[in-house]
Amino acid sequence: MSAAMPWTAPAPGGAPAPLLEVRDLRIAFGGKEVVHGVSFTIQPGEKLALVGESGSGKTVTALSLLRLAQNAHLSGSARFFGPESASDGLDLLSIQEQKLRGIRGRDIAMIFQEPMTALNPLLSVGEQIAEVLQLKQGLGGREAAEAAVQLLADTGIPEPQRRAGALPHQLSGGQRQRAMIAMALACRPRLLLADEPTTALDVTLRAQILDLLDNLQRRHGMAVLMITHDLNLVRRFADRVAVMENGHLVESGPVAAVLANPQHPYTRKLLDSRPQRDVSDSPPDPAADTVMQAQGLRVSYPVSRPGLRGWFGKGEFVAVEGADFSIAAGRTLGVVGESGSGKSTLALAALGLLPHGGALEVVGRAWGAGRRQGAHNQAIRRLVQVVFQDPYSSLSPRMTVEEIVGEGLLVHEPGLPPAERRQRVAEALADVGLAEASFPGLPQRYPHEFSGGQRQRLAIARALIVRPRLLVLDEPTSALDVTIQKQVLTLLQRLQRERGLSYLLITHDVDVIRAMAHEVFVMKDGRIVESGPVHRVLDAPQHEYTRTLVTAAA
């Protein structure tokens, strides 16, 4: 396949026409307008970032350009200037569906936010890429299959021939995202719509995907509309930025100018939302209790062995090997590493949810094994609670707020009178900033009635109500927008100061570690490769892998 050259339509006065010109775009669902008169242009070969929080309208704006927003009423115009369009361009919002179908994937392609849900789980990634080539370019089966392998190779996937035959679940997150990019670029589109293409990825993978997109964009001369809430990504990738708030385009301009001197209060709010450190940096108190301690912690999983050996026994995959750490009262231990490094497995072992080798104690008591240890482990479990990554999936949609937050009391204090239990629930909710005075009928509401940040506050209240000594925080802010992330981190810092809580913070976000942790250790392939005070490890890393993580997060 030959690379398509960027096409530029003639314009009056000899100036190049834009590749895409959006004017007064309005989007409504069920009579309610959610995008209000948005206008912008994209020049051939340009990288424009559309920035805003969840609910700002940025994703539905991108989807509307290909009329992929279901049940949306669209008005205004979105003129695309391609080789087959008239001098005034093709209006993507009004052309016939059959004609738009020819543009989708061929002239304008899209990378969706979550590749695991965007890819067909029943077809190999090679088959899915080949399908695009057959439909859009008319290639034969063998030619399309060979081209699919080459596209995967162009995105840097190792062993592209073998990976082409893999199903999506058999690939890592970074590999799935590369496969999505290969599919989007199969027909060398003139415009690429990239919806949060790096949000679900670790920092090193995020840097790799950005470099890949940048390289492919320059090589093929395509324009890119990047949908994101990550200002570091914008600073690093885009030429221009447009900021959306509540369906309005509030500010736009060159990246350097907007980020250095923002004019709109909302843009300034986004820029000020980087996590701020507000924890004590004094040396640990030698007399403080040790809340959790591990020595030689080891976690392994049985795996099938290939060939005849599989008939005679299982193999072993070691997820965590030889981990030593301790957490003192009122301190935060950060654990950072890429997906697959073992950090989430370590968190599950700390919660007593996985069998492990070595020593692991909570306030001097070790997790027991076997059914007879149920009462022993329940007493420890009250001391160690968890806040999960995604508050939407970790809260039962069928339980009210009162039931969700008070559930721990039913387990650990079953004799508590109902009136006192309701009082404890109200106090826990108030502690996390959810007072009933501000949320009428709060106890009887359900999780879907709250925003992402409010749901995470509910999850924190649920963990706090049994008065634990340690919270395991598993990526507690990665699913949240930057402003909400800052609010949740500020809440966690306040609770630690007021209650002397200890945190085991699992994350791949170096900025969150800088803001929250006292000590940190870095995991790679199941082992701790570097550990120490947070400032020493992140400001003067000794291990090459730590340096890679810190550089990728800059």
Side-chain angles (χ1 to χ4, degrees), residues 154-155 178 181 207-217:
D154 289 345
T155 64
R178 288 171 188 268
I181 292 171
Q208 291 172 22
I209 294 298
L210 275 186
D211 291 342
L212 170 65
L213 283 174
D214 200 39
N215 177 270
L216 293 172
Q217 183 268 337

Side-chain angles (χ1 to χ4, degrees), residues 304-314:
S304 298
R305 295 193 293 184
L308 290 175
R309 291 184 301 165
W311 290 85
F312 301 102
K314 295 283 189 181

Side-chain angles (χ1 to χ4, degrees), residues 136-355:
K136 298 295 182 181
Q137 294 197 345
L139 299 186
R142 177 176 295 181
E143 191 180 5
E146 292 173 353
V149 173
Q150 183 57 50
L151 282 163
L152 288 173
D154 289 345
T155 64
I157 284 186
E159 301 179 273
Q161 184 77 46
R162 184 168 71 87
R163 301 298 185 190
L167 295 171
H169 75 271
Q170 296 173 310
L171 302 179
S172 69
Q175 289 169 343
R176 283 195 294 266
Q177 195 64 285
R178 288 171 188 268
M180 281 284 296
I181 292 171
M183 190 183 305
L185 299 184
C187 299
R188 303 292 189 250
R190 290 173 172 81
L191 175 61
L192 178 67
L193 310 178
D195 184 12
E196 301 276 12
T198 64
T199 296
L201 302 179
D202 297 320
V203 286
T204 51
L205 286 176
R206 194 177 302 171
Q208 291 172 22
I209 294 298
L210 275 186
D211 291 342
L212 170 65
L213 283 174
D214 200 39
N215 177 270
L216 293 172
Q217 183 268 337
R218 288 196 307 269
R219 190 193 310 172
H220 303 304
M222 66 182 175
V224 179
L225 176 62
M226 177 77 77
I227 313 299
T228 185
H229 64 256
D230 188 337
L231 294 177
N232 282 335
L233 183 151
V234 172
R235 190 177 284 110
R236 190 167 169 177
F237 181 80
D239 302 315
R240 287 193 303 122
V241 60
V243 183
M244 289 191 71
E245 180 190 22
N246 296 328
H248 297 274
L249 194 62
V250 297
E251 186 166 1
S252 64
V255 166
V258 171
L259 298 190
N261 186 27
Q263 301 300 304
H264 195 275
Y266 181 70
T267 311
R268 291 195 291 271
K269 177 184 173 183
L270 289 178
L271 288 168
D272 291 339
S273 294
R274 190 163 184 162
Q276 300 295 314
R277 186 172 181 82
D278 187 19
V279 299
S280 172
D281 285 319
S282 58
D285 183 358
D289 292 340
T290 298
V291 177
M292 178 172 283
Q293 185 167 16
Q295 291 183 328
L297 181 66
R298 186 179 195 270
V299 183
S300 63
Y301 299 96
V303 295
S304 298
R305 295 193 293 184
L308 290 175
R309 291 184 301 165
W311 290 85
F312 301 102
K314 295 283 189 181
E316 182 184 53
F317 170 71
V318 180
V320 176
E321 180 69 87
D324 298 335
F325 63 88
S326 65
I327 309 174
R331 307 283 287 185
T332 298
L333 174 62
V335 185
V336 66
E338 297 174 282
S339 295
S341 64
K343 59 185 190 297
S344 291
T345 297
L346 182 142
L348 291 173
L351 290 163
L353 298 177
L354 284 178

Side-chain angles (χ1 to χ4, degrees), residues 115-124 128 167-168:
M116 194 61 187
T117 55
L119 293 170
N120 188 329
L122 302 179
L123 294 177
S124 71
Q128 295 182 62
L167 295 171

